[in-house]
Amino acid sequence: MKKIYMDNAATSFPKANGVADAMCKYINEIGTNISRGAYDDAFEAQRVIEETREMICDLFHFNKSSNVIFTKNITESMNIIIKGLLKPNDHVIISPMEHNAIMRPLNSLSQKNITYDKAECDKNGNLIIESIEPLIKQNTVAIIMTHASNVSGTILDLESVGKIAKKHNLFFIIDSAQTAGFKDIDINKLNADSIAFTGHKSLLGPQGTGGFIITDNLANKIPALIEGGTGSKSDSEQQPTYLPDKFESGTPNTVGLFGLNAALKYLKEKGINNIQKIEMDRTMQFIEAILEIPQIRIVGNTTRENRTAVVSLDFSPLDNAEISWKLQQSHAIATRVGMHCAPSAHKTLDTFPQGTLRFSFSSFTTEEEINLVIQAIKQIINA
Ligand SMILES: Cc1ncc(COP(=O)(O)O)c(C=O)c1O
């Protein structure tokens, strides 16, 4: 049976054309460290990484490639930013749709008397903008928010949030896990101070790549979480204060960044707007077919606007986990079931504690695959 992969919100598969070749080329033909050797292959590795920084700038309409920091993923990026920025007695505002990449670092900081409040979302996960300003206190320093829910696919109106952050002089930090590579993101329109990104989802790159872009103003407020060798200023035993070296100690994931470089070239060639259109065509094909089946609840918006290609379903009183298992066993359809690392989102969407069965598409998903999945769902629930 041919595998049908419907778990692109967790990590995309397949990856962009060219990713595997670029990684093989690095391993087989280059293989050197960056910033640490004065020979051609070391220069080539460095060139590819700097080119990747430039492409990340293009992706987010950002203008300073030195302020593109590479990390393993959004989780690491958020830990650097959240734990570096927040001091005892600080307060931040988040949404109720956050992933544990934000919730867990924030909750661990409660020991230092760092607090947060959640703005409100409606039952579909749409952010209620008017709920934000009343939460601002004298000690509020930042708004930290996901751009789209990994549970319901709902896109949060971050342009409006950015205006509020600017008006009140708050730092605005964005988790782009579910939107980078899916929709055009302009840091200027969002008024953001930092956007954290991960390479292995809609950017179609390998696992272990990601990072954040950051303004000088915010970077200056954040000490390095990890310190060590940077291949620069090696006569000094102090961590450099300039970017990106301040936040990039130790040997980077060069092979992964070669893969990310190829993925970003692929996205540029195809065009993110074209990719988004294909993904939304598949998403609406799926949603429209599911709406015909009365036993199933679609969790989140059912129209094309303000959503990504992530669709969560709730089959209650049937067991979502059992349906996921049957889809895999009988039809080789890979889905994800449960909390998706976002329990607060489920409380908002009224799917706690049963969780949801999540289907997430990519531009490689075909119409035929969607039809097969719909047939399989009908077969399982009518059995
Ligand atoms: C909304 C959201 N934020 C953060 C993350 C964490 O991403 P990573 O595991 O790449 O750090 C995810 C991953 O599922 C996510 O969906």
Side-chain angles (χ1 to χ4, degrees):
M1 227 182 312
K2 193 170 162 268
K3 142 170 145 182
I4 301 184
Y5 186 74
M6 299 268 135
D7 198 16
N8 289 281
T11 199
S12 55
F13 181 82
K15 298 301 180 189
N17 299 342
V19 169
D21 286 348
M23 295 175 80
C24 284
K25 180 177 175 208
Y26 171 76
I27 291 287
N28 291 327
E29 297 172 30
I30 301 178
T32 61
N33 217 336
I34 59 155
S35 308
R36 288 153 171 90
Y39 42 90
D40 284 353
D41 283 344
F43 293 139
E44 175 58 7
Q46 182 84 41
R47 185 194 67 74
V48 170
I49 290 190
E50 295 317 320
E51 183 183 68
T52 313
R53 281 190 221 282
E54 297 284 350
M55 285 191 286
I56 291 289
C57 279
D58 282 355
L59 184 75
F60 294 114
H61 304 265
F62 189 53
N63 58 8
K64 206 168 178 192
S65 64
S66 59
N67 293 31
V68 175
I69 313 298
F70 289 123
T71 64
K72 287 204 299 291
N73 47 41
I74 286 199
T75 306
E76 186 175 321
S77 302
M78 281 298 176
N79 271 270
I80 293 171
I81 297 169
I82 290 173
K83 291 179 179 164
L85 174 67
L86 300 178
K87 306 277 171 298
N89 303 319
D90 281 351
H91 170 259
V92 294
I93 296 169
I94 58 172
S95 85
M97 306 305 284
E98 304 309 325
H99 186 275
N100 276 342
I102 288 173
M103 295 315 304
R104 288 185 175 173
L106 273 182
N107 281 326
S108 82
L109 289 178
S110 65
Q111 293 156 348
K112 295 190 179 165
N113 204 22
I114 292 166
T115 53
Y116 61 83
D117 276 303
K118 290 179 189 168
E120 284 170 39
C121 283
D122 67 18
K123 285 264 177 272
N124 286 334
N126 299 298
L127 186 62
I128 300 173
I129 296 298
E130 300 70 43
S131 70
I132 297 176
E133 275 188 311
L135 299 176
I136 299 174
K137 305 181 190 182
Q138 275 206 324
N139 59 342
T140 306
V141 294
I143 302 179
I144 307 175
M145 258 179 214
T146 189
H147 200 181
S149 164
N150 64 316
V151 178
S152 59
T154 312
I155 295 178
L156 281 70
D157 173 11
L158 294 194
E159 262 191 60
S160 300
V161 180
K163 287 188 187 128
I164 296 174
K166 192 170 180 194
K167 178 173 156 199
H168 294 273
N169 209 13
L170 305 175
F171 287 115
F172 185 29
I173 298 154
I174 294 176
D175 168 354
S176 74
Q178 296 296 333
T179 49
F182 167 77
K183 84 190 282 293
D184 185 47
I185 301 176
D186 184 337
I187 187 168
N188 308 299
K189 285 192 189 148
L190 294 170
N191 274 312
D193 296 278
S194 181
I195 301 179
F197 60 93
T198 203
H200 66 106
K201 296 183 193 273
S202 294
L203 292 184
L204 304 176
Q207 283 88 352
T209 60
F212 57 97
I213 59 174
I214 190 163
T215 58
D216 285 327
N217 186 23
L218 179 55
N220 288 337
K221 300 261 182 321
I222 299 179
L225 187 67
I226 308 283
E227 289 155 320
T230 53
S232 55
K233 289 245 174 208
S234 294
D235 56 329
S236 166
E237 292 179 345
Q238 304 299 321
Q239 186 71 8
T241 52
Y242 50 84
L243 302 181
D245 301 34
K246 175 179 173 184
F247 295 114
E248 287 187 358
S249 294
T251 300
N253 179 9
T254 313
V255 59
L257 292 173
F258 267 66
L260 183 62
N261 180 289
L264 292 168
K265 283 182 180 152
Y266 172 90
L267 291 177
K268 193 165 182 186
E269 186 198 313
K270 294 286 169 193
I272 287 185
N273 290 339
N274 299 329
I275 289 177
Q276 183 178 10
K277 179 172 183 316
I278 298 170
E279 291 194 23
M280 288 315 298
D281 286 350
R282 301 292 172 273
T283 304
M284 293 317 294
Q285 182 193 346
F286 183 76
I287 286 180
E288 277 157 21
I290 294 292
L291 283 172
E292 306 273 296
I293 312 174
Q295 298 98 305
I296 306 175
R297 175 185 162 206
I298 300 177
V299 177
N301 297 328
T302 52
T303 51
R304 205 177 171 102
E305 290 71 45
N306 299 331
R307 66 154 20 267
T308 65
V310 174
V311 186
S312 258
L313 303 182
D314 185 11
F315 290 79
S316 300
L318 298 180
D319 183 352
N320 292 326
E322 196 179 325
I323 294 180
S324 172
W325 187 80
K326 285 181 177 162
L327 284 169
Q328 170 61 43
Q329 289 304 306
S330 320
H331 306 271
I333 297 169
T335 58
R336 183 163 168 194
V337 73
M339 288 291 129
H340 318 293
C341 298
S344 166
H346 286 277
K347 288 177 188 160
T348 310
L349 299 162
D350 212 9
T351 48
F352 190 87
Q354 77 270 28
T356 57
L357 175 46
R358 186 180 74 182
F359 298 76
S360 45
F361 315 116
S362 83
S363 56
F364 297 111
T365 306
T366 63
E367 277 181 53
E368 193 201 350
E369 283 178 324
I370 300 278
N371 286 334
L372 288 170
V373 172
I374 298 290
Q375 273 170 29
I377 290 174
K378 284 184 180 160
Q379 209 173 314
I380 292 168
I381 61 175
N382 293 326

